Amino acid sequence: MVEAFAVASGKGGTGKTTSTLALGMALAERYDVTVIDADTGMANLLFHAGLDDADVTLHDLLVADRDVPVEDAVYERFGMSVVPCGTSLAAFEAADPARLRDVVADLAADADVLLLDSPAALGSKSAVLPIVLADRAVVVLQPTVPSLSDGLKVQEYARSYGTETAGVLFNRVRPDEDVESIADQAARYFGGTALASVPESDAVRAARRAGEPLLAHAPDDPAADAFHEAAAKLDVRAGDAGAARVADRFRSAVVPDRP
């Protein structure tokens, strides 16, 4: 079995990467999880996971003339497999986003859950392909109407390629924000379920400075508890297709010809 989730949002600053790693660690208590930094243009997962000195990254796997084994870019961290992406502009320009299909297909052979940390915007093929590859999307929002609107654009695009919404995760919620009102609106427009409301936390910033995911750095923080709640509500669907068929599904995914 394997299910691929795109962790997506309509804009930057929602805490998407923090959410991806937190969900990954929580899900890894029950599943074999691989987290992929698919934000090839604005990667930062490597800093959150203490992998800023990684020798091989996703960029190396996406360059056509390099014969780099996929496993060279996989690092075992915090109970899960992590595939970081580099931050070099030259490497981004050399990368072929369509090759992400083969990378995901290879990684699916050894995972129950794939989490694709997706770009915030929908302005290029490299930005939208992770959403196209995913079975379902987790939409990370802040409890504001503009964030809701941006998230709906992501959902609409995802659905146009058959990717449904697994749930909505409200993140970086401040005490003075009316999350219940926004959540009621989200329930009317988004698919899936409301996974959790994660409070704004100083521990998140401290974790990044330490190069650790939140759940490793501050496992008892209220934000960590909320991410555990979200992972528990995320229903991972067991598939009965063999590994070869799963790989073929990823390799044959449509590469969008429009952003």
Side-chain angles (χ1 to χ4, degrees), residues 157-216:
Y157 189 94
R159 285 180 172 175
S160 73
Y161 281 94
T163 301
E164 290 300 321
T165 303
V168 171
L169 177 66
F170 289 101
N171 192 34
R172 302 190 62 184
V173 178
R174 299 192 304 270
D176 61 337
E177 289 180 309
D178 185 8
V179 68
E180 290 187 8
S181 174
I182 296 296
D184 287 343
Q185 294 183 56
R188 292 197 295 270
Y189 299 116
F190 285 91
T193 186
L195 298 172
S197 178
V198 182
E200 182 76 88
S201 172
D202 291 337
V204 172
R205 290 180 284 275
R208 174 164 181 171
R209 288 194 297 269
E212 295 178 330
L214 172 67
L215 269 63

Side-chain angles (χ1 to χ4, degrees), residues 18 40 48 58 69 88 102 111 124 126 138 160 194 219 221 226:
T18 293
T40 56
H48 290 251
L58 180 64
S88 163
D102 292 324
S124 66
S126 61
V138 173
S160 73
D221 189 77

Side-chain angles (χ1 to χ4, degrees), residues 30-222:
R30 293 176 289 149
Y31 304 101
D32 288 328
V33 174
T34 297
V35 171
I36 306 165
D37 189 352
D39 190 350
T40 56
M42 297 290 287
N44 65 6
L45 186 147
L46 72 172
F47 302 117
H48 290 251
L51 288 169
D52 45 306
D53 60 349
D55 292 328
V56 181
T57 73
L58 180 64
H59 275 156
D60 297 294
L61 305 179
L62 299 181
V63 178
D65 60 356
R66 294 183 189 172
D67 187 17
V68 180
V70 169
E71 56 268 24
D72 285 3
V74 180
Y75 301 84
E76 298 303 319
R77 293 289 190 278
F78 310 104
M80 55 189 172
S81 299
V82 179
V83 181
C85 190
T87 58
S88 163
L89 177 60
F92 168 68
E93 292 175 340
D96 176 5
R99 290 175 64 87
L100 184 63
R101 295 180 301 179
D102 292 324
V103 172
V104 171
D106 289 340
L107 293 170
D110 297 315
D112 299 323
V113 176
L114 296 175
L115 293 177
L116 303 171
D117 186 12
S118 306
L122 298 174
S124 66
K125 291 180 181 180
S126 61
V128 301
L129 188 55
I131 295 172
V132 173
L133 283 171
D135 298 294
R136 290 186 290 164
V138 173
V139 183
V140 182
L141 303 172
Q142 289 180 280
T144 65
V145 171
S147 181
L148 206 68
S149 176
D150 290 335
L152 282 169
K153 295 172 188 173
V154 172
Q155 176 176 265
E156 180 181 1
Y157 189 94
R159 285 180 172 175
S160 73
Y161 281 94
T163 301
E164 290 300 321
T165 303
V168 171
L169 177 66
F170 289 101
N171 192 34
R172 302 190 62 184
V173 178
R174 299 192 304 270
D176 61 337
E177 289 180 309
D178 185 8
V179 68
E180 290 187 8
S181 174
I182 296 296
D184 287 343
Q185 294 183 56
R188 292 197 295 270
Y189 299 116
F190 285 91
T193 186
L195 298 172
S197 178
V198 182
E200 182 76 88
S201 172
D202 291 337
V204 172
R205 290 180 284 275
R208 174 164 181 171
R209 288 194 297 269
E212 295 178 330
L214 172 67
L215 269 63
H217 185 77
D220 298 323
D221 189 77

